[in-house]
Amino acid sequence: MEHYPSRLLEEAVNELSRLPGIGRRGALRLALHLLKQESADVERFGNSIIRLRTQINYCSCCHNISETEICNICSNPRRDASQICVVQDIRDVMAVENTSQYNGLYHVLGGIISPMDGIGPGQIKIESLVEKVNTGKISEVIMALSATMEGDTTVFYISKKLRDSGVKISILARGVAIGGELEYADEVTLGRSIINRVPYENALVK
Amino acid sequence: MEHYPSRLLEEAVNELSRLPGIGRRGALRLALHLLKQESADVERFGNSIIRLRTQINYCSCCHNISETEICNICSNPRRDASQICVVQDIRDVMAVENTSQYNGLYHVLGGIISPMDGIGPGQIKIESLVEKVNTGKISEVIMALSATMEGDTTVFYISKKLRDSGVKISILARGVAIGGELEYADEVTLGRSIINRVPYENALVK
């Protein structure tokens, strides 16, 4: 039993400790930090979080976060609308965008098939991807999901669903990280990167 | 430059990343987590944080958080009002209370003297402690501050301020942690615990 000197503090700690990766001790530390900030700053903090959840919109096309009905990427005529990069969530869109190596569109699944977490194919946005591909306007679907069992399961499920459409399906290259020391690469990755070795001239970054 | 798909998201990430120990990557993870929660839950979360900062009160006697003008500890007639335990912040009051080994009152400094962080004696609640002690009603001041350079500096400063009052000043015992393996104790602590060794019969927990 912890002795909280105030119900307000206890409530704030309860709320903060529900965030992922934050335990009760960390939540108390955050609450005491917030108590030391200016009132106006804390109000801005709390309100920005409430606004985030209550006012945000999603692109009706790719399910990415958007300020408009159709997001900036989907509505950009200079992007290649024949390519769709399938990602787990919004963070992955940002990660791929930051590489500046991709100029097609996205499709945000909003999750990944994970029986352990009780997430099945019906809970993520697979149907709308299949519909988009079935319009016949898509030439390639790039599966940019995590190289985990859940990611692989999701790729397998989606590729089966898309098989009849005849669309080209590709996945991200897997191998040793660029700049990484070989001795720190795990065995599975290293083994795969030997099996999937590429001719030297293809591997040079252009 | 990160590509945020929405200004609302960027603002929330900015706010979250100002929390101690949370970087921009962690802030984005928290923001995306909050987006997946129920609207009502996120509103409760945000409002509890705002309420914490705007509605909380401090005990006018010990500066601990309180729901009332004088906190539950200061106003409790069964507590020994002749002892004051001086702590850095509210968390430490909770930690000492959780031991159930102390029945006196507290004094929350609200910080610790730290030239590195630009915190001098004037920015923490030392004056009101000196005033309390100068009433002559206090028999012992227990300095329960961290065993760090900042803590020791603060103890030194306060003990000088209280010297004329003739009050008894004590500090927490320092030594190897109970239940800790000796081989993991650091050399300074171990050395001090040898110098300050106590007769066996005094060391038994009663």
Side-chain angles (χ1 to χ4, degrees):
Chain A
M1 237 298 278
E2 287 154 322
H3 299 78
Y4 287 95
S6 149
R7 191 182 38 75
L8 288 170
L9 179 64
E10 187 166 6
E11 278 171 12
V13 170
N14 286 344
E15 293 292 336
L16 285 163
S17 64
R18 293 175 63 197
L19 294 174
I22 296 181
R24 290 196 74 78
R25 196 180 274 258
L28 179 59
R29 200 168 65 97
L30 291 180
L32 295 179
H33 167 84
L34 290 166
L35 272 176
K36 286 187 185 165
Q37 307 309 305
E38 295 292 329
S39 240
D41 288 347
V42 176
E43 289 187 63
R44 205 185 55 235
F45 171 78
N47 285 325
S48 89
I49 282 169
I50 295 171
R51 264 206 315 276
L52 171 71
R53 178 61 187 82
T54 55
Q55 295 181 14
I56 210 141
N57 290 313
Y58 293 88
C59 174
S60 61
C61 185
C62 72
H63 313 303
N64 191 10
I65 286 172
S66 172
E67 308 238 294
T68 45
E69 166 74 14
I70 303 288
C71 77
N72 291 337
I73 296 177
C74 285
S75 61
N76 185 342
R78 281 181 301 185
R79 299 202 62 133
D80 183 349
S82 73
Q83 286 186 322
I84 294 181
C85 177
V86 177
V87 294
Q88 180 175 349
D89 65 28
I90 297 140
R91 205 172 358 177
D92 303 320
V93 174
M94 292 172 63
V96 175
E97 283 297 284
N98 282 335
T99 68
S100 305
Q101 297 296 318
Y102 178 66
N103 195 40
L105 307 187
Y106 291 91
H107 183 89
V108 180
L109 293 174
I112 199 165
I113 298 173
S114 172
M116 290 280 283
D117 300 319
I119 301 173
Q123 280 148 281
I124 60 177
K125 300 246 177 340
I126 294 180
E127 274 315 307
S128 59
L129 173 65
V130 174
E131 283 167 28
K132 256 189 271 183
V133 172
N134 283 342
T135 60
K137 291 175 186 161
I138 309 300
S139 63
E140 183 177 6
V141 172
I142 301 163
M143 306 296 285
L145 300 178
S146 296
T148 58
M149 202 172 68
E150 289 80 10
D152 289 346
T153 305
T154 310
V155 169
F156 180 74
Y157 183 90
I158 293 177
S159 65
K160 251 188 10 187
K161 284 271 185 186
L162 296 180
R163 195 182 291 152
D164 294 341
S165 71
V167 73
K168 179 178 164 192
I169 299 173
S170 50
I171 67 164
L172 295 184
R174 293 172 182 188
V176 294
I178 292 163
E181 306 261 2
L182 211 61
E183 61 179 314
Y184 298 122
D186 68 285
E187 288 167 23
V188 179
T189 302
L190 191 54
R192 278 266 221 132
S193 71
I194 294 170
I195 296 167
N196 297 330
R197 63 193 178 278
V198 290
Y200 180 55
E201 58 269 31
N202 294 8
L204 297 170
V205 176
K206 275 135 202 152
Chain B
M1 238 299 278
E2 286 155 321
H3 299 77
Y4 286 95
S6 150
R7 191 182 38 76
L8 289 170
L9 178 64
E10 187 166 6
E11 279 171 12
V13 169
N14 286 343
E15 293 292 336
L16 285 162
S17 64
R18 294 176 61 196
L19 294 174
I22 296 181
R24 291 195 73 79
R25 199 180 272 258
L28 179 59
R29 200 167 66 97
L30 292 180
L32 296 178
H33 167 83
L34 289 166
L35 272 176
K36 285 188 186 163
Q37 308 308 306
E38 296 292 329
S39 241
D41 288 347
V42 176
E43 288 187 65
R44 204 185 56 234
F45 171 78
N47 284 325
S48 88
I49 282 170
I50 295 171
R51 264 204 317 275
L52 171 71
R53 178 62 187 84
T54 55
Q55 294 181 13
I56 210 140
N57 290 314
Y58 293 88
C59 174
S60 60
C61 184
C62 71
H63 314 303
N64 191 10
I65 286 173
S66 173
E67 309 237 295
T68 44
E69 167 73 13
I70 304 287
C71 76
N72 291 337
I73 296 176
C74 286
S75 62
N76 185 344
R78 281 181 299 187
R79 299 201 64 132
D80 183 349
S82 74
Q83 287 187 322
I84 295 182
C85 177
V86 177
V87 293
Q88 178 174 352
D89 65 27
I90 298 140
R91 204 169 2 172
D92 302 321
V93 174
M94 291 172 63
V96 175
E97 283 297 286
N98 282 335
T99 68
S100 307
Q101 296 296 318
Y102 179 67
N103 195 40
L105 307 186
Y106 292 91
H107 182 90
V108 180
L109 293 174
I112 200 164
I113 298 174
S114 172
M116 290 282 281
D117 300 319
I119 300 172
Q123 281 148 281
I124 60 177
K125 301 250 181 334
I126 293 180
E127 274 315 306
S128 59
L129 172 65
V130 174
E131 283 167 29
K132 254 189 274 184
V133 172
N134 283 343
T135 60
K137 292 177 185 159
I138 309 300
S139 63
E140 183 177 5
V141 172
I142 301 162
M143 306 296 285
L145 300 178
S146 297
T148 58
M149 203 173 69
E150 289 81 8
D152 288 347
T153 305
T154 310
V155 170
F156 181 72
Y157 184 90
I158 293 176
S159 64
K160 251 188 9 184
K161 284 270 184 187
L162 296 180
R163 194 182 291 154
D164 294 341
S165 72
V167 73
K168 178 177 165 194
I169 298 174
S170 48
I171 67 163
L172 295 185
R174 293 171 183 188
V176 294
I178 292 164
E181 306 261 2
L182 211 60
E183 61 179 314
Y184 298 123
D186 69 284
E187 288 166 23
V188 180
T189 302
L190 190 54
R192 277 268 220 132
S193 72
I194 293 170
I195 295 168
N196 297 331
R197 63 193 178 279
V198 289
Y200 181 55
E201 56 269 35
N202 295 7
L204 296 171
V205 176
K206 274 131 205 159

